[in-house]
Amino acid sequence: MDILLLGGSKFLGRAYAVEALARGHRVTTYNRGVSRTDLPGVEAVHGDRGSLDDLRRLVDGRQWDAVVDTSGQQPHDVAQTARLLSGRTGHYGFVSSVHAFADWPARPVGPESELLACAGDLPPDQPFATALKAGCERALLANYDGPNVILNCGLLIGPHEPIGRLPWWLDRVARGGRVLAPGAADRPLSLIDARDFAAFGLDLAERRATGRYVTTAPPGSATTGELLDACRAATGSDAEFVWTADATLLGAEVAPWTELPLWAPATEGWLGTWQADSTAAVAAGLRIRPLADTVRDTWAWLEAGGRAEVAYRQLETPLGIDPAKEQALIGS
């Protein structure tokens, strides 16, 4: 197949490119060419997807069997791209997020859940908001004339993760000693390796599948304890985990999700975090590798120089708890 990747050099887009090349597909990537080096083997086209002129140069005289959009963040840009690719691609796979659902993370969500209110015809350059992904979905459906599939992505982990949630935990556990562990060891998690996501997305493109799939590991497929144990095993650390109740952490003003990455307390507003229903995706062929394998591979990547790719921040918020604050919570 001839595949166009909108993105294609960073994390999930990179995973798509690696998997597509391994399957023997011909891959064109389209991005600005500023955040990561293009992978060997792809045809790299650089341009701004917000620029109509750049997009016209990309598509002029070209046809692809499928397009995968991992970089759509603005409804205007998605609408513009979808219109130009209609009739030039045989299938459109759009990577959305569980953030697009109105009830997430407060309550469980699934493929039929209501989307956040966001129009698909907004002007360009909207300020960041999680609702924009819902607008991007509407923009795609209103402007692309052909089979398409929407994948609402759960929490992605694995090598080349740019935010640094799993890398932060690996680095902290590697330092050893007494480690503040949030909530309870048996707290369920639902994570997905970017490589597994990409493999599933390409399966759907090859089949020209349609519809919507919540794409993450089944709820309860792993626990916080298993994650931290895997970090300890991968790093060879002597870390001792000090499990600390949600109420204690919240009382000490520890910020969920950022000060302790991946920590979603079992309290109102967070109860659906790890309860996204991926039953349909699993039935359609989504395969999830063991969490320990992802953790091991991520540590190997970090040790081989991967930290240069990691921001260790979510937007403008740094990840990780201050060591003095951690020490005060776990005691001597």
Side-chain angles (χ1 to χ4, degrees):
M1 293 174 64
D2 291 304
I3 297 178
L4 171 63
L5 295 181
L6 300 175
S9 65
K10 184 176 180 181
F11 198 25
L12 182 57
R14 183 186 191 281
Y16 264 102
V18 169
E19 179 70 17
L21 291 171
R23 296 185 184 197
H25 298 311
R26 295 168 296 277
V27 178
T28 302
T29 60
Y30 180 71
N31 54 60
R32 292 177 300 167
V34 298
S35 63
R36 296 290 187 274
T37 303
D38 297 306
L39 284 174
V42 306
E43 178 197 2
V45 179
H46 293 156
D48 184 346
R49 70 175 295 168
S51 164
L52 185 57
D53 288 341
D54 284 0
L55 287 171
R56 284 172 171 160
R57 282 192 290 270
L58 167 69
V59 305
D60 185 33
R62 301 288 301 270
Q63 295 273 343
W64 293 273
D65 297 301
V67 55
V68 177
D69 189 345
T70 67
S71 65
Q73 304 292 335
Q74 291 281 335
H76 173 271
D77 296 350
V78 173
Q80 184 169 256
T81 306
R83 284 193 295 270
L84 280 175
L85 290 175
S86 288
R88 292 184 172 94
T89 55
H91 183 267
Y92 199 122
F94 181 72
V95 177
S96 185
S97 169
V98 292
H99 283 287
F101 294 122
D103 284 342
W104 194 88
R107 288 175 289 278
V109 295
E112 305 303 321
S113 294
E114 180 182 357
L115 296 178
L116 287 165
C118 181
D121 58 353
L122 293 176
D125 301 321
Q126 296 295 307
F128 172 80
T130 55
L132 288 176
K133 274 294 190 182
C136 289
E137 293 186 22
R138 295 184 175 103
L140 168 66
L141 296 176
N143 291 279
Y144 183 74
D145 183 16
N148 61 82
V149 68
I150 293 172
L151 297 95
N152 293 96
C153 185
L155 198 288
L156 285 170
I157 57 173
H160 302 279
E161 181 203 332
I163 293 175
R165 297 182 181 99
L166 176 55
W168 184 86
W169 275 112
L170 281 161
D171 288 341
R172 174 61 193 93
V173 172
R175 294 198 299 272
R178 288 164 61 82
V179 176
L180 181 65
D186 62 356
R187 180 74 53 79
L189 295 176
S190 176
L191 309 168
I192 183 168
D193 191 304
R195 296 168 293 182
D196 295 337
F197 188 106
F200 178 62
L202 285 171
D203 289 345
L204 298 178
E206 290 167 356
R207 302 199 303 260
R208 299 185 76 187
T210 60
R212 176 192 301 278
Y213 294 92
V214 174
T215 311
T216 191
S221 57
T223 65
T224 306
E226 289 169 348
L227 174 67
L228 296 190
D229 286 344
C231 290
R232 182 165 53 191
T235 61
S237 166
D238 66 353
E240 174 191 352
F241 302 123
V242 182
W243 294 99
T244 306
D246 291 339
T248 301
L249 297 174
L250 293 170
E253 298 184 344
V254 177
W257 211 249
T258 51
E259 277 193 279
L260 291 175
L262 305 178
W263 170 47
T267 57
E268 186 175 356
W270 293 93
L271 296 176
T273 304
W274 306 118
Q275 296 298 317
D277 183 3
S278 59
T279 302
V282 172
L286 173 64
R287 297 174 295 278
I288 302 294
R289 72 189 67 202
L291 178 61
D293 291 357
T294 299
V295 171
R296 182 198 61 228
D297 292 350
T298 305
W299 177 245
W301 163 70
L302 286 173
E303 288 290 271
R307 289 182 184 83
E309 298 181 35
V310 183
Y312 293 101
R313 64 177 52 246
Q314 179 174 298
L315 299 178
E316 300 304 315
T317 303
L319 296 182
I321 190 168
D322 181 85
K325 187 174 182 179
E326 180 187 23
Q327 184 61 36
L329 279 162
I330 62 178
S332 59

